[in-house]
Amino acid sequence: MVTDTIKTYSRKRHAVADAGTPSSGYWGKRVFDLTISLFIIVFVLSWLMPVIGLAIILSSPGPALFVQIRSGRNGRQFRCYKFRTMFIAPRHNHPFRQAFPDDPRVTPLGRLLRRTNLDEIPQFLNVLLGNMSLVGPRPHPIELDAQYWYKLPGYARRYDLKPGITGLAQVRGYRGAVMNPLMMKHRVRYDRFYIQKASPMLDVSICLQTLVTMLTGNTDAF
């Protein structure tokens, strides 16, 4: 099973890290993450999350937050937080499937949240907890890992760094559902390039580009 493979990869990478191998990223990346995320949580999320959460609960049955197990650094799994953007369906009738254009599972409010990236803002809590970074490869659902872990060479190396709320691949247009292996290949290429070139200036640039897409709307967010 791919989850067993991910756990084995995690143990191996953890052993390497304990042996003294330098971690990926740049010095001070965690400080950058904490500084920005704490500022956002205190001055923005403290009032915006309750407003959006109440709107979700009033507009469709179910909880405000959606919690999904995703792959993190070195393949370690963690609970990733998002605002719920889909109608609740019975688990046995709801196998994993990425969102697609005009997906009937997406609520009207959820469609707006997805296009503006606001569905991802609870992940600032993941950054605070240390599961994620502001910028890095996007964390994939376990089911998506299962499709590409063996198939795509170098796929697992995208987990050499903490996953991010946003990333280089996303601001270059490879955001949202992966419709074919070529799209995933390009995404992984950008992810691995970022891991090699990560710097404070690159992170600031990616954050600013993400902010622009939030204000203009994402055409590839369903």
Side-chain angles (χ1 to χ4, degrees):
M1 295 177 62
V2 70
T3 52
D4 295 331
T5 302
I6 294 172
K7 291 177 181 177
T8 301
Y9 177 80
S10 173
R11 288 194 294 269
K12 290 180 178 178
R13 296 296 297 171
H14 184 57
V16 171
D18 288 343
T21 300
S23 60
S24 298
Y26 57 85
W27 184 89
K29 185 172 176 64
R30 179 59 177 162
V31 175
F32 176 83
D33 288 341
L34 286 175
T35 301
I36 301 300
S37 61
L38 281 173
F39 179 86
I40 296 296
I41 289 171
V42 172
F43 294 103
V44 180
L45 300 193
S46 59
W47 59 269
L48 184 59
M49 280 190 66
V51 170
I52 295 178
L54 181 61
I56 292 172
I57 293 173
L58 293 177
S59 61
S60 62
L65 288 180
F66 173 69
V67 182
Q68 187 179 50
I69 301 299
R70 297 205 174 190
S71 296
R73 186 180 181 189
N74 297 333
R76 291 184 174 181
Q77 297 174 6
F78 71 99
R79 296 165 66 87
C80 184
Y81 303 118
K82 295 182 66 174
F83 278 126
R84 180 176 59 84
T85 59
M86 293 186 175
F87 294 104
I88 298 295
R91 186 174 296 274
H92 63 278
N93 290 331
H94 191 56
F96 174 76
R97 186 182 183 186
Q98 292 183 282
F100 53 88
D102 300 319
D103 193 329
R105 298 174 300 169
V106 179
T107 66
L109 177 58
R111 204 170 302 280
L112 174 63
L113 295 176
R114 284 171 171 267
R115 285 194 174 277
T116 56
N117 288 99
L118 289 175
D119 63 319
E120 309 284 0
I121 61 174
Q123 289 165 26
F124 281 98
L125 300 176
N126 284 117
V127 175
L128 192 63
L129 292 171
N131 300 317
M132 295 180 64
S133 180
L134 292 176
V135 181
R138 282 293 299 159
H140 288 164
I142 301 302
E143 295 86 351
L144 193 60
D145 286 333
Q147 297 179 35
Y148 293 100
W149 193 274
Y150 300 104
K151 182 186 300 183
L152 191 59
Y155 179 87
R157 297 307 303 270
R158 70 189 303 276
Y159 295 111
D160 285 354
L161 194 65
K162 284 183 183 179
I165 297 178
T166 187
L168 182 62
Q170 283 64 46
V171 299
R172 290 292 183 269
Y174 294 96
R175 180 188 184 277
V178 179
M179 309 305 292
N180 56 66
L182 182 60
M183 291 178 65
M184 180 61 80
K185 182 178 180 179
H186 287 310
R187 176 180 290 190
V188 171
R189 182 177 299 172
Y190 276 116
D191 289 339
R192 295 185 63 181
F193 179 84
Y194 171 78
I195 291 173
Q196 295 172 3
K197 303 295 184 180
S199 69
M201 290 302 297
L202 182 56
D203 277 9
V204 170
S205 175
I206 292 172
C207 287
L208 290 176
Q209 292 178 67
T210 302
L211 183 60
V212 170
T213 63
M214 288 181 66
L215 297 175
T216 59
N218 294 282
T219 58
D220 55 353
F222 311 131

